[in-house]
Amino acid sequence: MKKGLEGPPPEERPTPAGRRNKQGIRIDPEVEATHDPRRTVISALVEHEPGVLSDVSGLFSRRQFNIESLTVGPTEDDDRARMTIVVEEPDPGIDQVKKQLRKLVPVIAVRELEPDAMRRELALIKVDADDPAQIAAVAEMYGGKTVDSSPETATVEVTGARQKIEAAVETFSQFGIREISRTGTTALARGTDPTGTAGATAQPADEANHDEPYTADDD
Amino acid sequence: MSERAAKISPAEEEQDDDQITDSAAPDAAVEEDATSDSETTTEPVTSGAESVVRALENAGVEYAFGVQGGAIMPVYDALYHSDIDHVMMAHEQGAAHAADAYGIVSGEPGVCLATSGPGATNLVTGIADADMDSDPMLALTGQVPTEFVGNDAFQETDTTGVTTPITKDNTFASSSDTVGNDVSEAFALAREGRPGPTLVDLPKDVTNGETDREPDAPAVPDTYEVQERADEETVAAAAERIENADRPVMLLGGGVIKGEASEACREFAIEHEIPVVTTMPGIGSFPEDHELSLEMAGMHGTGYANMAITHCDTLIGIGTRFDDRLTGGIETFAPDAEVIHVDIDPAEISKNIYADYPLVGDAETVVEQLAEAVDDSPEAKKWRAQCQQWKSDYSMAYDAPKDKPVQPEFVVEALDEATDDDTIVTTGVGQHQMWACQYWTYTEPRTWVSSHGLGAMGYGLPSAIGARLAADDDQDVVCIDGDGSFLMTMQGLSVAVREDLDITVAVLNNEYIGMVRQWQDAFFEGRHAASDYGWMPEFDKLAEAFGAQGYRIDDYDDVADTVADAIAYDGPSVIDVHIDPDANVYPMVPSGGDNGQFALTEDQL
């Protein structure tokens, strides 16, 4: 019969000098980088079929990705829908979001949009209608219009980038906001640059390993 | 859903030529089978259920594991005249584990069937297990008729909803005409790229419904694209890194076995004299009796594997997802190493451990690419000597005094000695599983069948059933189980007896949920809350009640003879091995700890 486990105890063993950070990246003083969360827009072209929204939203919740908004709607192709997802994550998390999305079978193409992409959301803002003229003036200032009015309330529709909506909401608050409903962001890449098309699934294998140089901020 | 299935067939006709040239060999074999079948006996399909069975036949399915029930009855009726051998299990969890093990041993998706509601939910554990371990599996579940779906009908469960997080893909079959293709596609998806479980939910009206539509051969949808070859530039950079390595280590994961890359990895490691460690699912990818082998790393890995991984400067990880049971604390995992990571799933790259050289592609292809790109072996003579030194410093051994109860390690070694090298070992989950890792010497891929990522107790016996049916006739199948694990699925003995399966089950019985007891001793001041059974049935007698052969081991003198008898017995046998109830598993890296600081005794935790 053999004898039990032997060998130097833990404190007598050599230990390496290096360390990794929480994201599994080796801490090298020269390139040490901590990834702070940033907000970015991911566009996914998906099969227009039952269950795909639940596949995508379920992926986000079970992997604990911080999702800001998710919008979905039809595209030029009846069989395809486009999801626009705003996430706030550190870079490694954003890369995981993209890669995990690509793994879903009904997902056709995934792309992170450049900061200059067109991003819009829509807000309906219902305010007290004590001063209709003033409301109309503010609405015009934000390129919005009044879509409903009653003796007590006026409802204004505003579309635009998130910051513009936020500014509009703030301005309208002077009238007394009763209710707000917002859609979340939808987005497309600019010019001839495709946001995501069938056959565009190919992706750089090492995407995760190149820190993207820009920091996306809202328009 | 129906649109998607319908769209696949025309596309596939066009691609047919491509499919044959660039698909793996099994595909070709499947197509041949399908043709020869249709020339001989095959009747045209007349129902959705027959189309489902035809799809399975086209895919070359030999066995299906399941339990009959109301909503799945049409499929069973269609199986009645099929050559597919259906194994009626005692519980759906067993069906899923058996299918999972069949997939591990054969490399082809194992098929399991269950009815709606409780049948489907009982499959869930096995499906989740296959998902965590990337095992190819196809689950077919009955569902209430479409018109009742969503009404909380009798035995209704939202099965696709329940299984979305634990399947690679699942489908709710919507029409008798397309259900066969749903199954074909699910089968193909289960094994393509990174394998995993797929599920098709089959409403009773869809399977009962009339159709004359023959399903197409298995093909994956065009939205599922797998990259086979890694980027050449990164391969070249990784090759240079390997050439210049001072302290290289290869880390082989389960993906090496699933990707049939064991041979390529062996050649590469041996040619360049690189020490090899494996993950638990990677056991068998490299012969543990080879000098370069440092065996398994991680929580209960060998001290030398963990020292090597902690101190290496170049880590070549292949087909591993860097699970926390392997890495321990991320901060201290291979902290000086540049990481070359080969994986077919891009999402595994830099998920847990940052990959300096990400190589996305099929393991075998990429290792061959690397082999071609590496010209000079790393000069690592000193490092190899160091690894050998660790091997002797931290050798795996145990005390076995004659006056104490039988030590479990001794039993594992006795079983190993009594069987051939190609013997398949299956296990439950717990201490016994770790002893089976540590004290059995594995030399061949697909001989280690266990529940890794999910850690599902109860996996041992049903997986032995699946493994037995996938194994060669002259291969032995040994299930090393724990008493707690065995209790969870031992009703599978009825199946093993009915099907006359030659399986040897060794229950390492300590009357504890032993791993929990070990942790309670280490981290909960020895309070054995609900881990001490205090009493266990006599498993040898229980085996006899089931119609199996029962044996019992109480001391060392019984071990060799009893093991030999049980292995020689032609049919299912169970050895109730009464082991030292105080035996614990070491070395051990505490959860989230530093692999290099593994404890050799409880005092070091």
Side-chain angles (χ1 to χ4, degrees):
Chain A
M1 310 289 161
K2 300 167 182 177
K3 50 189 161 61
L5 290 179
E6 51 183 26
E11 60 275 11
E12 287 172 26
R13 295 175 206 152
T15 35
R19 280 290 177 270
R20 290 178 188 274
N21 68 18
K22 288 275 180 206
Q23 290 157 342
I25 303 170
R26 232 157 19 102
I27 297 170
D28 175 344
E30 281 175 45
V31 292
E32 182 171 356
T34 47
H35 294 284
D36 292 326
R38 63 180 172 91
R39 181 182 286 137
T40 192
V41 178
I42 290 167
S43 182
L45 190 67
V46 301
E47 303 262 15
H48 199 166
E49 64 179 27
V52 64
L53 178 59
S54 122
D55 281 358
V56 170
S57 57
L59 172 74
F60 278 80
S61 69
R62 74 175 173 275
R63 293 201 179 265
Q64 299 281 293
F65 294 134
N66 188 6
I67 187 164
E68 293 266 313
S69 76
L70 191 163
T71 66
V72 55
T75 64
E76 72 283 0
D77 181 343
D78 289 344
D79 297 335
R80 307 273 190 259
R82 186 179 307 284
M83 291 189 186
T84 306
I85 306 155
V86 182
V87 291
E88 188 165 350
E89 282 284 328
D91 275 319
I94 291 169
D95 285 321
Q96 268 296 309
V97 169
K98 290 187 279 188
K99 289 167 164 179
Q100 294 289 351
L101 275 173
R102 285 189 187 111
K103 278 171 70 171
L104 297 178
V105 173
V107 170
I108 298 154
V110 175
R111 187 184 153 182
E112 183 181 354
L113 296 182
E114 307 292 328
D116 73 345
M118 294 167 288
R119 314 164 186 205
R120 294 292 178 269
E121 69 175 88
L122 181 151
L124 291 171
I125 305 163
K126 189 188 284 182
V127 295
D128 292 329
D130 298 334
D131 189 353
Q134 184 67 12
I135 291 169
V138 172
E140 199 180 331
M141 198 168 87
Y142 287 100
K145 60 181 180 189
T146 308
V147 289
D148 178 58
S149 68
S150 71
E152 290 86 24
T153 66
T155 304
V156 177
E157 168 199 314
V158 183
T159 61
R162 181 192 176 91
Q163 277 185 339
K164 176 172 148 188
I165 305 281
E166 311 235 298
V169 168
E170 198 172 316
T171 315
F172 275 109
S173 65
Q174 62 181 292
F175 305 115
I177 291 175
R178 291 198 173 204
E179 286 179 302
I180 294 178
S181 180
R182 288 167 66 166
T183 58
T185 301
T186 190
L188 276 182
R190 285 195 183 272
T192 53
D193 188 10
T195 306
T197 50
T201 38
Q203 75 239 221
D206 57 346
E207 196 176 59
N209 301 289
H210 299 294
D211 299 340
E212 277 147 56
Y214 64 84
T215 306
D217 52 357
D218 276 324
D219 298 8
Chain B
M1 210 67 75
S2 58
E3 286 167 356
R4 177 166 136 212
K7 264 183 289 175
I8 287 158
S9 47
E12 204 213 314
E13 274 164 35
E14 285 164 22
Q15 287 174 2
D16 229 16
D17 289 352
D18 296 346
Q19 283 272 316
I20 290 167
T21 45
D22 65 16
S23 62
D27 271 343
V30 164
E31 275 164 31
E32 270 170 37
D33 284 354
T35 356
S36 61
D37 267 4
S38 58
E39 278 167 9
T40 52
T41 57
T42 313
E43 303 273 326
V45 303
T46 61
S47 70
E50 285 178 11
S51 180
V52 167
V53 171
R54 183 63 49 81
L56 297 178
E57 290 167 346
N58 289 351
V61 171
E62 279 186 284
Y63 292 100
F65 305 88
V67 180
Q68 175 66 287
I72 196 72
M73 273 166 64
V75 177
Y76 274 96
D77 190 56
L79 273 171
Y80 192 72
H81 290 295
S82 170
D83 288 339
I84 294 173
D85 203 345
H86 177 264
V87 181
M88 185 69 182
M89 299 296 288
H91 187 285
E92 289 88 352
Q93 183 188 350
H97 289 328
D100 177 84
Y102 184 90
I104 293 173
V105 174
S106 72
E108 287 293 298
V111 177
C112 55
L113 292 103
T115 195
S116 64
T121 55
N122 279 348
L123 284 182
V124 165
T125 301
I127 297 172
D129 182 90
D131 190 54
M132 288 292 269
D133 290 350
S134 307
D135 297 328
M137 182 208 279
L138 170 62
L140 300 176
T141 49
Q143 184 53 279
V144 300
T146 312
E147 61 174 317
F148 293 129
V149 168
N151 291 349
D152 303 328
F154 176 65
Q155 293 195 327
E156 184 192 351
T157 296
D158 173 12
T159 303
T160 51
V162 167
T163 58
T164 292
I166 53 167
T167 48
K168 192 170 164 183
D169 191 42
N170 67 24
T171 308
F172 181 89
S174 59
S175 142
S176 307
D177 286 337
T178 52
V179 66
N181 277 345
D182 289 341
V183 172
S184 290
E185 180 186 309
F187 185 90
L189 262 174
R191 66 177 173 193
E192 183 81 356
R194 178 179 184 169
T198 56
L199 180 144
V200 185
D201 201 26
L202 305 164
K204 199 168 181 178
D205 58 317
V206 167
T207 46
N208 264 333
E210 286 183 15
T211 183
D212 56 2
R213 182 86 183 271
E214 296 284 336
D216 298 316
V220 296
D222 54 10
T223 54
Y224 190 78
E225 292 173 7
V226 179
Q227 187 176 330
E228 294 286 325
R229 284 180 75 79
D231 171 55
E232 293 292 350
E233 251 177 64
T234 321
V235 168
E240 197 184 330
R241 175 70 212 176
I242 293 169
E243 288 170 359
N244 293 320
D246 295 322
R247 306 188 302 277
V249 164
M250 283 173 79
L251 169 66
L252 306 186
V256 170
I257 293 169
K258 290 173 212 308
E260 299 291 350
S262 304
E263 199 50 49
C265 288
R266 288 172 189 214
E267 283 173 19
F268 188 82
I270 291 167
E271 182 181 347
H272 299 295
E273 297 184 272
I274 300 172
V276 177
V277 302
T278 73
T279 68
M280 186 158 72
I283 285 176
S285 56
F286 194 82
E288 292 185 336
D289 52 4
H290 193 282
E291 192 187 9
L292 287 168
S293 172
L294 302 171
E295 298 157 57
M296 181 178 83
M299 181 174 279
H300 290 295
T302 63
Y304 31 101
N306 281 326
M307 287 304 277
I309 242 180
T310 303
H311 291 270
C312 69
D313 73 344
T314 306
L315 182 66
I316 310 163
I318 305 171
T320 171
R321 63 189 170 86
F322 294 105
D323 176 76
D324 60 278
R325 281 296 187 274
L326 166 75
T327 60
I330 294 292
E331 294 91 337
T332 49
F333 179 76
D336 287 344
E338 291 207 15
V339 174
I340 298 164
H341 190 181
V342 179
D343 207 289
I344 198 154
D345 181 356
E348 287 308 330
I349 304 291
S350 299
K351 186 184 78 177
N352 295 336
I353 296 294
Y354 180 84
D356 301 275
Y357 304 87
L359 300 175
V360 175
D362 168 67
E364 187 183 23
T365 310
V366 178
V367 172
E368 283 167 1
Q369 282 180 276
L370 274 175
E372 210 158 290
V374 174
D375 294 324
D376 304 313
S377 299
E379 286 175 33
K381 201 171 164 190
K382 225 174 113 187
W383 168 243
R384 283 191 297 275
Q386 174 66 70
C387 290
Q388 293 305 321
Q389 182 61 43
W390 282 326
K391 247 176 152 171
S392 77
D393 285 351
Y394 300 103
S395 61
M396 292 298 290
Y398 54 93
D399 289 316
K402 282 275 184 185
D403 57 343
K404 281 189 73 178
V406 178
Q407 295 302 308
E409 298 93 332
F410 185 85
V411 180
V412 172
E413 287 188 332
L415 283 160
D416 189 7
E417 275 162 35
T419 52
D420 295 333
D421 279 355
D422 64 353
T423 298
I424 294 173
V425 177
T426 85
T427 73
V429 166
Q431 287 181 317
H432 67 277
Q433 180 188 24
M434 296 304 132
W435 290 314
C437 289
Q438 293 174 334
Y439 289 92
W440 189 292
T441 305
Y442 300 88
T443 55
E444 298 301 325
R446 301 193 187 279
T447 59
W448 166 250
V449 178
S450 196
S451 171
H452 310 108
L454 193 68
M457 284 176 71
Y459 183 84
L461 177 60
S463 67
I465 291 171
R468 174 72 273 167
L469 292 169
D472 293 339
D473 288 343
D474 57 357
Q475 246 177 322
D476 283 328
V477 175
V478 172
C479 169
I480 297 175
D481 218 335
D483 47 343
S485 215
F486 187 63
L487 267 187
M488 288 194 172
T489 52
M490 66 182 183
Q491 68 274 47
L493 270 180
S494 66
V495 180
V497 171
R498 176 169 17 89
E499 301 284 332
D500 192 24
L501 302 178
D502 189 9
I503 295 166
T504 306
V505 183
V507 182
L508 304 185
N509 184 355
N510 58 8
E511 300 193 2
Y512 276 108
I513 300 191
M515 191 58 95
V516 170
R517 198 274 325 276
Q518 177 168 346
W519 283 47
Q520 287 170 332
D521 285 341
F523 309 117
F524 291 88
E525 294 166 18
R527 292 185 294 274
H528 294 169
S531 63
D532 182 357
Y533 288 103
W535 177 85
M536 269 285 162
E538 294 179 66
F539 292 117
D540 51 333
K541 290 184 181 166
L542 193 127
E544 305 264 324
F546 273 104
Q549 190 74 20
Y551 301 92
R552 180 180 169 118
I553 290 177
D554 282 301
D555 54 52
Y556 285 105
D557 297 337
D558 302 340
V559 174
D561 289 348
T562 308
V563 161
D565 288 351
I567 300 281
Y569 180 76
D570 189 15
S573 59
V574 176
I575 318 172
D576 189 2
V577 190
H578 289 256
I579 59 163
D580 180 359
D582 297 325
N584 278 341
V585 183
Y586 288 99
M588 178 180 183
V589 180
S591 205
D594 177 343
N595 277 344
Q597 301 289 298
F598 52 86
L600 297 164
T601 65
E602 193 185 317
D603 303 337
Q604 293 176 356
L605 280 172

